[in-house]
Amino acid sequence: MLPISTKDIVSFRPIDGQIETLEKLLADADSDKARDALVKAIADLREKADSEPQPVFRLGVASHFQRAAFRRDLTASGATYPGEAALSKAMREAIDAANPVNRDELLALIDDFEAANPGDIVDPDALNDLETIVRIARAMGGRFPALEGDRVYWLDVAPIIACRHFLLGWEGVKAEDGTAAAFERRSGLTTDETLQHLEENDLKAVGYKIMSLMRPTKAQEKNSVSPSQSHDGRKPSLTETKLLTEANGTSSESGTSETPATC
């Protein structure tokens, strides 16, 4: 793939992002049930893409200065993305404070999840125990639910700010009355009134696609659509949030827990 120039305008259809997500999950599927479900979902989406008009979004590719301006506005919004290490530490603090009878076992399980590699098969019983840990950590209050809230807020806000900066136009987007939705940029930013025409899933899918274009390396191309957070026994995120998958309008039985690139 040729390098993407900051002078380029990239056309993007959210349904194509959904298909790409499912195709990547299909390549990693390790059961006939998962493969069959993914094959059917991909076929259904392709049929829909061919038979129904799909909105097309025109996306700008950020220069170094524009990336800096995006990061400035994202920071100014108060959005932060806590890493897995911070969440794991907060989980341990909550388990220590709750001091359940199986405290040592639960702490060891957190260690095991941290040490596992993405794609490793995880014992279903361990997944159930991990859900117990998350429930305890939330119930104890303190840092863990606060960090979870920070992550949810980042996942909601980052794509909106990305669209403000780099969504340059669209075709096929309808207003509530069924007419073509007006598109307006003001002072170099797409207006909030314009973004109100988008359904939340489309807005997030477009925003995450924009962020994937900010660093078009081979690694970034591999993760250019919002990754799934669900699983079929593979190592999940410690918080098991599905927000990124929902942004693409898809769900699956396997996936990753990587964070969209923003630089």
Side-chain angles (χ1 to χ4, degrees):
M1 179 176 180
L2 294 175
I4 299 175
S5 168
T6 57
K7 296 181 180 180
D8 288 341
I9 294 179
V10 175
S11 294
F12 173 69
R13 299 192 309 172
I15 198 167
D16 294 331
Q18 296 174 34
I19 292 170
E20 186 178 352
T21 296
L22 295 182
E23 287 176 338
K24 291 176 180 178
L25 296 176
L26 177 60
D28 292 333
D30 60 358
S31 72
D32 290 340
K33 180 180 178 181
R35 281 189 289 271
D36 290 345
L38 289 166
V39 167
K40 183 180 185 305
I42 291 168
D44 289 345
L45 284 174
R46 285 178 174 160
E47 181 179 356
K48 181 178 180 180
D50 292 339
S51 62
E52 301 176 15
Q54 298 295 322
V56 179
F57 298 91
R58 293 192 290 276
L59 316 180
V61 180
S63 66
H64 291 301
F65 180 82
Q66 290 168 326
R67 286 198 294 272
F70 164 76
R71 290 194 294 267
R72 175 197 62 201
D73 287 356
L74 187 56
T75 300
S77 74
T80 59
Y81 190 94
E84 294 297 329
L87 288 166
S88 297
K89 182 178 180 181
M91 276 186 176
R92 290 189 181 90
E93 292 171 355
I95 296 301
D96 278 334
N99 196 27
V101 293
N102 59 341
R103 168 187 172 278
D104 292 342
E105 178 184 340
L106 296 180
L107 291 176
L109 181 61
I110 295 174
D111 292 338
D112 290 343
F113 268 87
E114 277 195 312
N117 296 313
D120 286 355
I121 301 299
V122 178
D123 186 331
D125 291 337
L127 292 176
N128 291 334
D129 289 341
L130 181 62
E131 291 174 2
T132 299
I133 293 173
V134 171
R135 287 197 297 271
I136 292 173
R138 287 172 179 163
M140 292 301 294
R143 286 200 326 121
F144 181 77
L147 291 174
E148 270 197 311
D150 286 342
R151 179 175 281 196
V152 169
Y153 184 69
W154 190 98
L155 292 169
D156 284 341
V157 169
I160 296 173
I161 296 177
C163 286
R164 280 181 181 172
H165 279 262
F166 303 112
L167 177 56
L168 304 182
W170 59 40
E171 298 174 7
V173 176
K174 302 295 184 182
E176 288 186 1
D177 61 4
T179 61
F183 186 94
E184 181 182 5
R185 283 176 67 86
R186 190 181 303 132
S187 300
L189 298 174
T190 300
T191 65
D192 287 340
E193 293 79 9
T194 296
L195 297 181
Q196 286 297 321
H197 292 299
L198 298 180
E199 295 182 1
E200 185 175 5
N201 280 350
D202 280 349
L203 186 148
K204 287 185 175 181
V206 171
Y208 289 130
K209 179 64 176 181
I210 289 168
M211 288 188 282
S212 81
L213 295 173
M214 292 189 189
R215 190 169 55 194
T217 62
K218 289 183 179 179
Q220 192 58 35
E221 289 166 16
K222 181 179 178 182
N223 300 295
S224 61
V225 293
S226 48
S228 169
Q229 297 282 340
S230 54
H231 61 83
D232 63 353
R234 299 179 188 277
K235 180 189 176 184
S237 163
L238 284 172
T239 54
E240 205 56 18
T241 172
K242 296 183 180 179
L243 289 171
L244 293 179
T245 301
E246 291 168 357
N248 256 356
T250 64
S251 62
S252 171
E253 297 182 8
S254 65
T256 70
S257 57
E258 298 180 28
T259 308
T262 58
C263 59

